[in-house]
Amino acid sequence: MKKKIILIGMMGSGKTTIGKKLAKILNLDFIDTDKIIEKDCKIKINKIFEKFGESFFRKKEEKVVLKLLSKKKSSVMALGGGAFLNKKVQKKIIKENVSIWLDVSLEAIYKRCKGSNQRPLLNKKNNSNLKKTIKELMQIRKPIYSKAKFVIKTNKSATEVCKKILFSIKNII
Ligand code: S3P
């Protein structure tokens, strides 16, 4: 298999947890694009937003993700929630790789994100607006995420989600 398996979806949709598990099952490397950006910049994502702003982060994200996508080795990749909105990234993923959208309900995302202070797009609003903020982001992003090759509803355990993914991709890997 030469293709990469790219997990896309909202913050808190389980891309990292599921990605790690899937990579282990398939005996592939696991890559978390946010972790590479943090390593490159030597600071956490929320600090990048705080110090340099979102547009700086997006430019860095585009550069890092395109570079990772151009590597020959196959892997399982967890993409930061906004990276697939970038046209160049989107095009490359759709053309050359296997994209999987982890489609999680608003309620589940809200529950997973409400205690976190590591998510700059959600932290900048006060908590009473958190659900509304997530809902608005989801409304904008759903049509874009739905361009992924596979859509997996992930209200089940990570093991069940991995099984579903493996079943979906069995003919192309
Ligand atoms: C973002 C998601 C985050 C991170 C950054 C922006 C987004 O990654 O890249 O905070 O725009 O949805 P996760 O989806 O891994 O939380």
Side-chain angles (χ1 to χ4, degrees):
M1 184 188 73
K2 285 278 180 286
K3 288 174 180 170
K4 293 174 188 55
I5 298 168
I6 319 280
L7 301 180
I8 67 167
M10 285 291 289
M11 296 162 263
S13 58
K15 291 167 290 183
T16 304
T17 310
I18 290 160
K20 280 183 182 166
K21 222 176 163 67
L22 197 63
K24 210 169 170 186
I25 297 169
L26 294 169
N27 200 21
L28 293 174
D29 289 343
F30 171 70
I31 296 167
D32 184 330
T33 61
D34 281 346
K35 287 277 171 286
I36 309 284
I37 296 169
E38 288 181 340
K39 213 170 142 192
D40 248 41
C41 296
K42 297 183 182 68
I43 46 169
K44 294 273 178 200
I45 301 284
N46 56 343
K47 292 284 167 206
I48 302 177
F49 272 73
E50 210 178 290
K51 279 186 148 185
F52 308 111
E54 181 172 354
S55 71
F56 173 89
F57 171 76
R58 296 298 176 199
K59 279 185 205 127
K60 182 82 195 166
E61 182 178 54
E62 176 185 291
K63 219 169 147 188
V64 168
V65 174
L66 289 176
K67 193 172 167 196
L68 289 167
L69 288 172
S70 68
K71 295 205 166 150
K72 289 273 176 291
K73 205 173 171 199
S74 57
S75 58
V76 176
M77 193 181 284
L79 211 65
F84 196 67
L85 275 67
N86 177 297
K87 284 268 157 51
K88 287 186 201 161
V89 169
Q90 205 184 99
K91 217 171 145 189
K92 200 162 172 62
I93 290 178
I94 292 172
K95 200 169 157 213
E96 300 166 8
N97 299 286
V98 182
S99 49
I100 299 168
W101 170 28
L102 302 183
D103 184 12
V104 179
S105 69
L106 170 64
E107 274 313 314
I109 300 273
Y110 173 68
K111 266 191 206 155
R112 291 177 197 174
C113 292
K114 71 178 173 189
S116 161
N117 58 358
Q118 297 296 316
R119 297 198 151 97
L121 286 184
L122 305 180
N123 299 145
K124 64 183 175 191
K125 307 270 163 61
N126 68 44
N127 248 357
S128 62
N129 283 332
L130 183 62
K131 205 179 232 177
K132 192 169 163 258
T133 308
I134 297 171
K135 194 176 175 187
E136 284 166 0
L137 268 181
M138 282 176 88
Q139 270 166 356
I140 295 168
R141 292 178 173 190
K142 271 189 166 192
I144 303 167
Y145 290 156
S146 67
K147 292 181 185 173
K149 191 163 178 67
F150 299 103
V151 181
I152 305 281
K153 296 257 177 205
T154 76
N155 42 3
K156 301 235 167 72
S157 71
T159 308
E160 285 301 312
V161 175
C162 281
K163 273 192 200 161
K164 274 196 189 183
I165 294 176
L166 290 168
F167 182 77
S168 302
I169 62 178
K170 70 177 185 309
N171 293 327
I172 45 174
I173 60 165

